[in-house]
Amino acid sequence: MNIILTGDRPTGKLHIGHYVGSLRERLNLQNQGDYEKMFIMIADTQALTDNFDNPTKVRENVIEVMLDYLSIGLDPKKVTFFIQSKVSALPELTMYYMNLVTLSRVLRNPTIKSEISLRGYDKDKSVPFGFVNYPISQAADITAFKANIIPVGDDQLPMIEQTREIVRSFNNIYGETLIEPKAHLSDNEVCYRLPGIDGKAKMSKSLNNCIYLSDTEEELKRKVMMMYTDPTHLKVTDPGHVEGNIVFTYLDAFCSDEHFKKYYQEFNNLSELKKQYEKGGIGDMAIKKFLFNILNELLTPIRERRKKYQQNIKYLFDILENGQKEANKYANETLNSVKNAIGINYNEEFLNQQIIKYQQ
Ligand code: TRP
């Protein structure tokens, strides 16, 4: 039976890039129900690896992220939510896994590499130890729950690969103990990395180019209207380009034929609209209005649920507290089997052996 685990760093509110990249897949998995357990972890410890000087930000965003989860319809009856730092088996497991990974292997991790340069670290000198260690601690997050399915965005693939290597190495040295996980990606490639509204490679808080799940209707409208389209498409009659046109990228990620029936009856589907746009005769205003309607339909119930949950923060805490108990049960069990496999359990059998040894 499947065990699903994933998580997010609590460093900001979640945006629609998170939604198509991973949250929508979690909802699908939840609705399919084909699992023994689904864990969603708020990765505060990992968030501290590059925010250790701003714990307030991390702490406060735990609540924001939890509000986002419940608002999109993740159901605490079907999903176990917990905070990473509440499960002390995770750093313990990390300690044992650290022995199985070389420093040069970690520095070859493509995500780590790009994050090191993004943050302006000089890799040998100024990168904090905790930062380069996070792929290893992520392997602990995954293996602690014996998770086999990890719904993530494609930037996390190197972390899953690192986890698989650690699992193989551990099982080789100490005997079959851990489960090799698989990443679960969206089947629509556009969703892997939704660009920001400015057309930049990735939607990200630091680039200030996000549409948040909690944006109001007015904010949403303003952001869609300022979206980057096709700079050569000046007059409505001009032929337009679809490639690199962010409005179409978003339509690829969010729109279905149903949306045409509701909001754009002139066309049956996206490929018809694209063809016409390329020929000319379709204004950017029209496609932006269409996109706005689609996104607003998605975000309206999310906003409403968020309002409701904001009135009951205590409920969020209760969910996390229950989840933490469940998470600790699973993780402690794995920690035990890891210690058993390594042979540092110091159990009764060991004690008896030692008694005999010293009697002779
Ligand atoms: N690295 C993930 C992110 O930045 C968060 C995360 C931490 C995670 N532990 C995990 C994701 C385990 C999947 C599985 O978004």
Side-chain angles (χ1 to χ4, degrees):
M1 199 59 170
N2 294 322
I3 296 186
I4 301 168
L5 175 128
T6 188
D8 300 279
R9 296 178 178 207
T11 52
K13 294 178 178 188
L14 302 179
H15 52 63
I16 63 172
H18 293 119
Y19 186 79
V20 286
S22 168
L23 298 172
R24 188 163 63 185
E25 286 308 310
R26 298 179 203 180
L27 284 171
N28 289 340
L29 289 165
Q30 170 184 284
N31 295 337
Q32 286 157 13
D34 180 23
Y35 55 82
E36 170 189 318
K37 201 90 191 153
M38 178 157 161
F39 291 102
I40 298 187
M41 180 184 76
I42 303 184
D44 61 340
T45 315
Q46 190 178 104
L48 283 171
T49 61
D50 63 345
N51 290 281
F52 55 85
D53 50 355
N54 195 356
T56 309
K57 170 173 144 190
V58 173
R59 196 189 312 133
E60 307 220 313
N61 278 305
V62 169
I63 304 299
E64 290 291 346
V65 168
M66 196 59 200
L67 282 169
D68 285 328
Y69 288 157
L70 297 180
S71 308
I72 63 163
L74 288 168
D75 178 354
K77 288 196 207 75
K78 298 177 183 159
V79 176
T80 304
F81 298 97
F82 67 97
I83 300 176
Q84 186 180 25
S85 64
K86 294 285 191 181
V87 181
S88 52
L90 299 177
E92 276 197 65
L93 287 169
T94 306
M95 280 301 280
Y96 303 120
Y97 299 166
M98 280 163 76
N99 298 331
L100 310 176
V101 182
T102 64
L103 185 56
S104 74
R105 172 64 185 89
V106 172
L107 293 174
R108 257 189 284 126
N109 180 316
T111 302
I112 288 287
K113 252 167 116 167
S114 76
E115 287 175 341
I116 283 178
S117 74
L118 203 74
R119 284 167 181 71
Y121 290 137
D122 173 343
K123 87 172 171 195
D124 296 328
K125 302 187 185 74
S126 62
V127 58
F129 220 92
F131 182 82
V132 288
N133 193 47
Y134 97 72
I136 301 167
S137 98
Q138 191 156 333
D141 301 338
I142 293 169
T143 55
F145 302 94
K146 301 208 157 62
N148 61 330
I149 299 182
I150 320 297
V152 281
D154 76 330
D155 61 317
Q156 293 298 303
L157 290 178
M159 305 304 159
I160 311 294
E161 190 45 45
Q162 177 69 81
T163 303
R164 291 165 63 86
E165 283 176 31
I166 289 173
V167 168
R168 287 195 289 264
S169 168
F170 189 98
N171 290 347
N172 253 329
I173 300 172
Y174 303 113
E176 276 311 305
T177 312
L178 303 173
I179 306 283
E180 261 188 71
K182 275 205 185 76
H184 175 94
L185 294 173
S186 159
D187 49 20
N188 182 355
E189 248 181 76
V190 201
C191 298
Y192 287 3
R193 210 164 297 196
L194 198 71
I197 55 170
D198 54 358
K200 293 245 169 66
K202 199 179 171 185
M203 187 170 280
S204 113
K205 188 177 153 71
S206 52
L207 295 172
N208 198 19
N209 62 5
C210 303
I211 294 175
Y212 291 101
L213 294 171
S214 49
D215 277 352
T216 63
E217 189 166 328
E218 293 68 40
E219 281 166 331
L220 176 66
K221 190 169 264 164
R222 188 177 57 78
K223 289 178 182 178
V224 171
M225 291 309 155
M226 65 194 236
M227 272 171 88
Y228 178 89
T229 54
D230 171 10
T232 67
H233 185 238
L234 298 174
K235 287 195 298 253
V236 172
T237 48
D238 287 343
H241 293 88
V242 166
E243 284 298 311
N245 184 324
I246 301 303
V247 175
F248 279 101
T249 311
Y250 280 48
L251 287 175
D252 278 328
F254 288 97
C255 125
S256 69
D257 296 352
E258 283 304 302
H259 289 128
F260 281 91
K261 288 204 188 85
K262 270 197 225 161
Y263 304 119
Y264 213 157
Q265 280 110 3
E266 290 94 315
F267 301 97
N268 290 309
N269 54 49
L270 190 54
S271 61
E272 279 184 26
L273 173 64
K274 283 180 177 174
K275 264 194 211 123
Q276 190 60 52
Y277 186 84
E278 284 172 333
K279 276 194 203 144
I282 305 238
D284 284 349
M285 205 54 191
I287 55 169
K288 284 183 171 178
K289 235 164 119 188
F290 181 44
L291 177 63
F292 167 77
N293 282 328
I294 293 171
L295 292 179
N296 201 41
E297 178 184 312
L298 172 72
L299 296 189
T300 301
I302 297 179
R303 265 182 227 122
E304 278 163 13
R305 276 192 291 253
R306 195 174 224 275
K307 222 179 273 163
K308 193 181 85 192
Y309 289 119
Q310 278 175 341
Q311 299 313 309
N312 201 354
I313 299 297
K314 168 84 169 57
Y315 174 62
L316 269 59
F317 263 74
D318 292 344
I319 293 171
L320 286 166
E321 210 165 283
N322 285 330
Q324 170 193 328
K325 285 184 200 140
E326 195 66 11
N328 274 298
K329 222 162 56 194
Y330 274 73
N332 284 332
E333 200 174 292
T334 302
L335 178 63
N336 251 329
S337 50
V338 158
K339 286 181 162 181
N340 273 329
I342 300 175
I344 49 166
N345 42 20
Y346 310 106
N347 55 12
E348 210 158 324
E349 191 189 334
F350 174 76
L351 172 66
N352 289 332
Q353 275 171 10
Q354 296 304 302
I355 292 173
I356 293 164
K357 176 178 153 191
Y358 286 97
Q359 275 169 351
Q360 283 163 359

